[in-house]
């Protein structure tokens, strides 16, 4: 066996594998001998079939199979030994007039090599880390929602200002069909709210989606419209009223505080606001972290320059599936996947250069905390260690879950690394302003 490599350029190489008879003959002969012992061929006793007959019937197929096994193992071992970082898989070069009747064979493979590049996490960026604060307006709105939630509903015959109206938004052409409850102050224009005044159960109010709310993203919540469709959506929707209620707000007293946070944990309106602020900003921090991670990712892709073996990758994409693609289809698929491939290379370099490894103990600890949070959501605030460990063991026995959770752990490690090393300005914003920043508005 002889393997040589010719580097075409920094991103492409050709590997030549020379397979000689001694590399495969023993294995082929052993298999043919075994076939001879077991073969049932009319006219011959079992085990007494002439080797020439076995050779004629099975020899070529076994030869091809064994040469291919030797070839693939040798090529894979070579890539590992040479520590070649390749993209895609080796592509066999078609050799015209290839002769399988020869004893020795030569095969060639095209390789697409991963590019060499430098990565500087400390380089200047335009990335912003947002700190989302729960302002006074948000806190007051949340307190009013709590009072409504724990208040007393009083059914009404017709709509008046300050009432809650339940019903269904619908538009058959756009596939909109969503039942929800609204208060009249959600609309951007007070004239829209007036359309509901004096309406009764069963009445239909016709509304236009354009400018219906102060933020088009509310269409996602109230009409269940996809994010990509909310911008400049300009259609009429029907709101069919099926319930009208006034709400007698719950009193802000100790009984309500205890119901919300446990006995004695909150004792005043100021403490209630502080608790709501703490909880809200904890949730906001997760959203801000995700945006920071996404923005750093985009910045690294935009600012880390390197070439890819594009011609090789398009050819590989064209032939990688069960059904070959046309050159045009392969070009389209390459353009779709290029950005993701670039980030995979960058991410791999970040992980290697910063030794970001995930141990099984870290995975267990992460899964344990995740399960405790989920149990708390269902009212199990103090599960035993045995209960949690049992669930962790079951979860981590599933390889798909292990992969998913490992990716989350690595994502958290990368986030912490970026917080430490990537230069970013910090900007304090309200949640509404953060949503505008998130969607570029």
């Amino acid at each position: 066996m002889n393997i040589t490599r010719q580097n075409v350029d920094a991103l492409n190489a050709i590997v030549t594998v020379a397979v000689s008879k001694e590399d495969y003959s023993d294995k082929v002969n052993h298999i043919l001998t075994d076939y001879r012992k077991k073969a049932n061929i009319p006219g011959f006793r079992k085990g007494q079939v002439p080797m020439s007959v076995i050779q004629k019937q099975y020899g070529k197929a076994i030869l091809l199979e064994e040469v291919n096994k030797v070839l693939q193992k040798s090529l894979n071992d070579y890539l590992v030994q040479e520590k070649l970082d390749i993209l895609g898989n080796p592509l066999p070069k078609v050799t015209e007039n290839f002769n399988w009747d020869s004893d020795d064979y030569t095969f060639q493979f095209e390789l697409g090599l991963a590019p060499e590049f430098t990565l500087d996490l400390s380089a200047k960026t335009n990335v912003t880390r947002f700190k989302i604060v729960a302002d006074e307006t948000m806190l007051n709105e949340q307190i009013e929602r709590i009072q409504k939630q724990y208040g007393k509903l009083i059914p009404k015959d017709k709509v008046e200002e300050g009432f809650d109206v339940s019903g269904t938004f619908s538009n058959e052409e756009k596939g909109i069909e969503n039942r929800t409850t609204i208060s009249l102050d959600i609309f951007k224009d007070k004239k829209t709210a007036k359309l509901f005044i004096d309406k009764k159960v069963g009445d239909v109010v016709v509304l236009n989606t354009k400018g219906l709310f102060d933020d088009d993203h509310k269409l996602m919540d109230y009409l269940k419209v996809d994010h990509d469709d909310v911008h400049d959506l300009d259609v009429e929707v029907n709101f069919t009223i099926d319930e009208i209620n006034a709400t007698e707000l719950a009193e802000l007293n100790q009984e309500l505080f205890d119901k919300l946070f446990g006995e004695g944990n909150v004792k005043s309106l100021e403490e209630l606001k502080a608790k709501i602020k703490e909880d809200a900003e904890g949730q906001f921090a997760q959203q801000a972290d995700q945006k920071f991670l996404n923005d750093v990712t985009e910045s690294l892709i935009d600012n880390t320059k390197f070439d890819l073996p594009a011609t090789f990758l398009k050819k590989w994409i064209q032939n990688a599936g069960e059904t070959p693609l046309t050159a045009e289809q392969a070009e389209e698929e390459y353009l779709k996947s290029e950005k993701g491939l670039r980030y995979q290379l960058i991410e791999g370099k970040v992980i290697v250069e910063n030794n970001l490894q995930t141990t099984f103990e870290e995975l267990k600890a992460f899964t344990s905390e995740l399960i405790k949070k989920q149990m708390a959501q269902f009212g199990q605030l103090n599960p035993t260690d045995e209960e949690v460990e049992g669930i962790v063991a079951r979860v981590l026995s599933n390889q798909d879950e292990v992969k998913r959770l490992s990716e989350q752990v690595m994502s958290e490690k990368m986030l912490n690394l970026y917080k430490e090393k990537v230069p970013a300005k910090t900007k304090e914003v309200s949640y509404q302003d953060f949503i505008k920043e998130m969607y570029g508005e």
Side-chain angles (χ1 to χ4, degrees), residues 250-260 266-268:
E251 288 186 36
L252 295 172
N253 54 26
Q254 193 61 48
E255 181 183 355
L256 178 61
F257 299 157
D258 291 347
K259 189 180 294 185
L260 290 170
V266 171
K267 298 178 182 178
S268 66

Side-chain angles (χ1 to χ4, degrees), residues 19-22 24-25 55 60 63-64 67 97-107:
V19 180
S20 60
K21 187 175 182 178
E22 55 263 29
Y24 63 83
S25 59
Q55 175 72 41
K60 183 60 67 71
L63 172 68
L64 265 62
V67 168
N97 303 318
F98 189 87
N99 183 14
W100 278 105
D101 292 326
S102 173
D103 289 334
D104 300 328
Y105 310 103
T106 300
F107 303 90

